[in-house]
Amino acid sequence: MFANYHTHTTRCHHAAGTEREYIESAIRDGCRILGFTDHSPQLFQDGFVSPIRMSVKEAERYVATLRDLAEEYKNDITIYVGFEAEYFPAIFPALRQYARDLGIDYMILGQHTLTEERQNLWTARGDIDPSLLPLYVDQVLEGLATGAFTYLAHPDVFHFRGEEAMYRREMRRLLEGVKALGLPIEYNLLGLREKRHYPVPIFWDMAAESGCEVILGRDAHAPVMLEEKEVEECARKELAARGITPLTTIPFRKP
């Protein structure tokens, strides 16, 4: 891949590898642009600190480390510093300002949970209530409409086990909304690699019909994942069968 914009580090507490290890793995693979989007802190109003995200202190070190490494490796690869974040309406303005203050280059929206984290409404859980799918779509579209996000990560992450007609109706609404906003959606290589419930074939059939632009995202949680050509080739084949040619690079929207 010429560019990968979805990369994690050990700082999120559920991935492996340092920033340097990811960069060197990407260079070995021939990648020319590497965007880091580790899970952002969420500035919960009661001081709750998530166990699956960076803390504020870790985020500051994350940015400083990557800026130093970007300079060190500037002749080999271009490095960008981003966040993957959820959109929680009540606290999003504070997160957005925090990202701006840190000088974050871009953010991607990955809506892993609804409302706020402690309510345990995880979108990827197999037992999530299908009736919450419209809430997922509403929250994603509202988040994207802020203009703070560059693209929508794993748009099909919601583990839906309900009526197909409802899934088609809500995902059509999602795709039409994203298309109107002029943003890409991500075909997620982590889900493909680990044979998760996504990428969802029905969703990607609909995505092809919608005309939404698509970007491949490795969603790398270990450095070796940046060198897995077979996964990339499989993804390109799946998309080509639907008439989709993924973008090579994307312009950023500043938070």
Side-chain angles (χ1 to χ4, degrees):
M1 287 170 61
F2 183 84
N4 175 62
Y5 299 101
H6 194 167
T7 313
H8 295 274
T9 76
T10 190
R11 296 181 195 274
C12 70
H13 311 287
H14 64 275
T18 65
E19 292 88 349
R20 184 182 296 276
E21 288 172 324
Y22 283 92
I23 291 168
E24 292 186 350
S25 183
I27 291 170
R28 286 193 296 271
D29 190 58
C31 183
R32 301 300 300 162
I33 297 173
L34 185 63
F36 282 85
T37 46
D38 216 352
H39 294 280
S40 74
Q42 285 288 354
L43 308 179
F44 294 109
Q45 293 168 336
D46 63 358
F48 172 76
V49 177
S50 169
I52 60 162
R53 310 176 195 282
M54 289 182 283
S55 68
V56 168
K57 181 182 285 189
E58 287 170 317
E60 292 168 358
R61 187 60 190 153
Y62 162 77
V63 173
T65 298
L66 284 172
R67 294 301 184 203
D68 289 344
L69 289 170
E71 178 64 23
E72 180 179 340
Y73 286 92
K74 66 182 179 182
N75 294 326
D76 302 302
I77 193 168
T78 300
I79 303 296
Y80 292 107
V81 185
F83 279 153
E84 179 181 11
E86 279 78 9
Y87 173 69
F88 298 141
I91 60 175
F92 181 71
L95 173 61
R96 187 177 196 176
Q97 187 58 54
Y98 178 69
R100 288 172 171 172
D101 292 343
L102 283 177
I104 293 295
D105 295 317
Y106 70 109
M107 296 200 299
I108 61 175
L109 177 60
Q111 199 70 40
H112 301 89
T113 180
L114 303 175
T115 59
E116 290 192 12
E117 186 174 320
R118 285 157 296 169
Q119 296 184 21
N120 210 27
L121 298 178
W122 295 94
T123 55
R125 281 179 51 159
D127 61 351
I128 190 167
D129 186 342
S131 69
L132 292 173
L133 182 60
L135 176 59
Y136 168 75
V137 174
D138 288 345
Q139 200 155 328
V140 165
L141 292 180
E142 185 178 325
L144 294 177
T146 65
F149 295 99
T150 288
Y151 76 68
L152 175 59
H154 40 62
D156 47 346
V157 69
F158 193 101
H159 200 161
F160 186 79
R161 294 188 174 184
E163 301 254 346
E164 183 178 321
M166 179 185 180
Y167 186 80
R168 288 184 176 276
R169 181 181 69 247
E170 291 302 319
M171 287 306 180
R172 185 174 299 109
R173 185 164 69 89
L174 176 68
L175 288 162
E176 288 174 353
V178 175
K179 171 76 170 174
L181 291 166
L183 294 171
I185 55 175
E186 176 196 78
Y187 194 88
N188 188 272
L189 272 62
L190 174 63
L192 184 67
R193 175 188 194 259
E194 297 189 351
K195 297 181 171 57
R196 298 184 177 185
H197 63 279
Y198 60 93
V200 178
I202 292 174
F203 177 88
W204 289 100
D205 291 344
M206 296 174 65
E209 296 169 2
S210 75
C212 281
E213 291 186 312
V214 175
I215 187 77
L216 296 180
R218 287 198 183 272
D219 198 355
H221 281 68
V224 69
M225 294 175 65
L226 294 173
E227 300 182 64
E228 294 177 337
K229 295 186 184 298
E230 297 84 358
V231 179
E232 178 193 349
E233 290 168 1
C234 181
R236 291 187 185 280
K237 187 178 295 185
E238 290 288 332
L239 292 172
R242 294 175 169 88
I244 298 173
T245 301
L247 300 169
T248 301
T249 61
I250 50 174
F252 292 153
R253 297 194 179 191
K254 283 283 192 178

